[in-house]
Amino acid sequence: MTPSLPAFALIRMLHAGLLLLFLLAAVFGLGAILAAHTQGLTDETTRALASFYDLDRPVLVRVIAFAKEMLQWNWGQSMVGGVPVTQTLMLALPVTLSYSVSSLLVILALAIPLALAASRAPGAPLDRGVRMVTVTIFCLPGFVLAALLFFPQDPLERLASFACFSATSFALSAWVLREAVVSEMASPPARAALALGFPVPQVWWEHAVRRGVMKLGRSSPMWFFSVVATNCVLIESVFGLKGLGNLGLASILSRDDPVLLALVFAWGLVMIVARLGLELAFGILDPTLRSRPTEIVE
């Protein structure tokens, strides 16, 4: 019996419970942070800090209080500048958001068309060239690529930073889609369609490309956000960009715990929501996926 869409979404999205794990980790992690900060302090000061962070209250009360503050997006004030954490994040968000959107546009405008063109003729010069470029980008760490493309002039520096930020996402998208389409063309359904006399372009477009794009879309949230998170720290540090990655690195070095907690929680929430949205969208667009609720393409 094929499960309904709500049941399918529920089964597929049980990992959204990671949100609760983030919540509990933040609550209990606060105790470890406080313990690290209170070494060498008097008992009276330690008790005052515990009372300030509500660590002297029962665990359930702390979880409920933390959830309430989270829903209100109230993370307190930065321990470095005394500025509200939300304001600090909002100042850094436009930089990271602009680079992330540019990376996504590069995937849509360059990576996907190149991958599809290469998959039409595996082993052809275009296919070998695309694979060579993607493997070369994979072999170059982000900070090495940033160092090679670093220019002191402002226009070239901005262009180089965009190229470095988008390079890994471009290579990974092209590689995954190309491999997915070629694999689908070699699958039993595609071979059966070809044996029945369907034209190769029709089988390639209606079966292989469709399935390949869906595989790319269902696996992309995990690696895309991981790549963006890594690039935020590396690329923003090399080029001196005041984005979320640079802010996170600075908060680690300065032990600005409220900012760091807000960054980790917000990033995990974005990943979960993106994966949930994509799973629901693909469940609606491809009803056949509902009959395989345990199949996860990574």
Side-chain angles (χ1 to χ4, degrees), residues 211-250:
R211 298 293 298 177
V213 170
M214 294 196 70
K215 285 183 178 180
L216 174 66
R218 295 176 66 196
S219 63
S220 60
M222 293 298 133
W223 58 258
F224 179 76
F225 286 109
S226 299
V227 168
V228 168
T230 304
N231 287 341
C232 282
V233 178
L234 294 177
I235 308 304
E236 290 178 6
S237 299
V238 172
F239 289 95
L241 303 172
K242 296 181 180 179
L244 294 178
N246 212 342
L247 177 63
L249 181 61

Side-chain angles (χ1 to χ4, degrees), residues 38 40-50:
T38 55
L41 299 180
T42 63
D43 293 340
E44 182 180 354
T45 305
T46 302
R47 286 194 296 271
L49 285 174

Side-chain angles (χ1 to χ4, degrees), residues 133-273:
V133 170
T134 54
V135 170
T136 302
I137 294 175
F138 283 146
C139 294
L140 283 176
F143 63 91
V144 174
L145 186 62
L148 292 175
L149 296 179
F150 181 79
F151 295 97
Q153 292 84 5
D154 184 61
L156 292 178
E157 181 183 2
R158 181 171 293 274
L159 181 61
S161 62
F162 273 110
C164 293
F165 202 95
S166 306
T168 307
S169 300
F170 162 80
L172 194 53
S173 302
W175 179 271
V176 170
L177 182 57
R178 184 260 174 202
E179 292 296 321
V181 174
V182 172
S183 174
E184 288 296 333
M185 282 298 293
S187 64
R191 292 202 302 266
L194 293 174
L196 290 173
F198 286 94
V200 174
Q202 181 181 356
V203 176
W204 176 81
W205 178 255
E206 295 185 3
H207 174 75
V209 172
R210 176 173 172 269
R211 298 293 298 177
V213 170
M214 294 196 70
K215 285 183 178 180
L216 174 66
R218 295 176 66 196
S219 63
S220 60
M222 293 298 133
W223 58 258
F224 179 76
F225 286 109
S226 299
V227 168
V228 168
T230 304
N231 287 341
C232 282
V233 178
L234 294 177
I235 308 304
E236 290 178 6
S237 299
V238 172
F239 289 95
L241 303 172
K242 296 181 180 179
L244 294 178
N246 212 342
L247 177 63
L249 181 61
S251 64
I252 293 174
L253 297 177
S254 61
R255 303 182 70 176
D256 195 351
D257 302 322
V259 174
L260 189 58
L261 277 175
L263 280 173
V264 172
F265 187 85
W267 202 257
L269 183 62
V270 167
M271 290 184 64
I272 291 172
V273 170

Side-chain angles (χ1 to χ4, degrees), residues 79-166:
M79 300 176 67
V80 175
V83 181
V85 173
T86 304
Q87 181 179 344
T88 304
L89 296 182
M90 294 306 296
L91 289 175
L93 179 62
V95 175
T96 300
L97 188 61
S98 63
Y99 278 82
S100 301
V101 172
S102 71
S103 181
L104 188 60
L105 292 177
V106 167
I107 291 175
L108 295 175
L110 295 178
I112 291 179
L114 274 177
L116 294 180
S119 68
R120 284 295 301 270
L126 177 60
D127 181 43
R128 292 198 297 268
V130 169
R131 285 189 293 170
M132 183 182 67
V133 170
T134 54
V135 170
T136 302
I137 294 175
F138 283 146
C139 294
L140 283 176
F143 63 91
V144 174
L145 186 62
L148 292 175
L149 296 179
F150 181 79
F151 295 97
Q153 292 84 5
D154 184 61
L156 292 178
E157 181 183 2
R158 181 171 293 274
L159 181 61
S161 62
F162 273 110
C164 293
F165 202 95
S166 306

